[in-house]
Amino acid sequence: EVQLVESGGGLVQPGGSLRLSCAASGFTFSNFYMSWVRQAPGNGPEWVANINQDGSGKYYVDSVKGRFTISRDNAKNSLYLQMNSLKVEDTAVYYCARWGWGWDYWGQGILVTVSS
Amino acid sequence: EFVLTQSPGTLSLSPGERATLSCRASQSVSSNYLAWYQQKPGQAPRVLIYGASSRVTGIPDRFSGSGSGTDFTLTISRLDPEDFAVYYCQQYGSSPWTFGQGTKVEIK
């Protein structure tokens, strides 16, 4: 069974940092493109970042470029999102998602709250 | 930026009725790389359709996608009680990948 489990969320002050992790199981992690997708309260989903299978290609939405870094460790079947210089508008539930035919598997989501 | 506009915002229908949801793109979607997702409260989105018209394995055949270029449609042929949810279209042909704002299908 495919499982994606996020961790590392919580409350952080504006300007602070947080690192999200996503533990993958039930599939060959190194074969798949992976993503972070977020959803602010009451809003629709928003794509944040993608990483290709070997980690050599990374892509970001403009609003997080230079502040967020996506990475992966295929040996540990793990995906990461390093979030720096956090802003109030980064408050959202963050999902780890596998890109297959569309985002075909999602984690349960982890809440990140940026507030003073 | 690539904008997807979904209509209507809310669709009020009864179980057994047909639902037709529209997604219009601000520019042509490359290779018809458009997906549809269903989301229920407190859950992650679930992919229904990819490539504009290909149904994901395990999705009931009452869900169908159509369209090309800038105009796409998700049709639910006969609404089941479990189908009342919010539906999003999403394009993955151009970066940044973007979602529409959603259509809520509610029980009339």
Side-chain angles (χ1 to χ4, degrees):
Chain A
E1 179 194 4
V2 172
Q3 283 199 315
L4 298 169
V5 180
E6 301 97 339
S7 61
L11 174 64
V12 61
Q13 292 189 337
S17 297
L18 218 49
R19 189 194 195 208
L20 303 183
S21 298
C22 172
S25 61
F27 66 102
T28 304
F29 180 71
S30 59
N31 285 354
F32 287 87
Y33 211 76
M34 296 296 295
S35 305
W36 289 98
V37 179
R38 68 184 178 184
Q39 190 165 24
N43 287 7
E46 178 187 34
W47 166 71
V48 174
N50 285 343
I51 188 167
N52 68 358
Q53 287 84 341
D54 66 5
S56 63
K58 303 176 184 182
Y59 311 91
Y60 302 92
V61 68
D62 281 352
S63 60
V64 309
K65 279 180 185 174
R67 300 188 300 121
F68 289 12
T69 303
I70 189 172
S71 62
R72 66 191 296 162
D73 185 335
N74 287 342
K76 295 182 177 180
N77 292 334
S78 293
L79 179 71
Y80 306 100
L81 186 68
Q82 177 66 43
M83 304 186 294
N84 298 330
S85 303
L86 281 160
K87 303 177 180 181
V88 170
E89 52 264 39
D90 294 320
T91 294
V93 173
Y94 284 73
Y95 295 99
C96 161
R98 187 183 88 168
W99 184 261
W101 297 115
W103 282 301
D104 56 0
Y105 285 94
W106 299 63
Q108 83 285 357
I110 191 88
L111 179 62
V112 171
T113 303
V114 185
S115 174
S116 54
Chain B
E1 183 180 289
F2 211 113
V3 177
L4 297 176
T5 302
Q6 292 186 241
S7 61
T10 302
L11 205 47
S12 298
L13 296 168
S14 301
E17 289 193 293
R18 180 185 188 90
T20 303
L21 288 66
S22 173
C23 176
R24 179 162 289 178
S26 58
Q27 53 192 283
S28 184
V29 177
S30 176
S31 301
N32 291 331
Y33 283 163
L34 186 114
W36 288 94
Y37 296 83
Q38 176 194 69
Q39 188 175 32
K40 296 180 180 179
Q43 297 183 16
R46 175 175 74 144
V47 65
L48 306 172
I49 302 287
Y50 65 94
S53 60
S54 297
R55 194 181 310 113
V56 170
T57 301
I59 298 302
D61 61 8
R62 62 180 180 272
F63 290 93
S64 63
S66 62
S68 64
T70 60
D71 288 294
F72 299 88
T73 301
L74 175 70
T75 301
I76 310 171
S77 59
R78 292 177 315 281
L79 281 165
D80 188 273
E82 66 183 17
D83 298 337
F84 291 92
V86 180
Y87 292 83
Y88 296 98
C89 58
Q90 178 246 333
Q91 67 82 21
Y92 50 99
S94 303
S95 187
W97 293 0
T98 49
F99 287 88
Q101 83 280 14
T103 290
K104 182 179 182 180
V105 179
E106 65 176 22
I107 299 177
K108 187 174 182 180

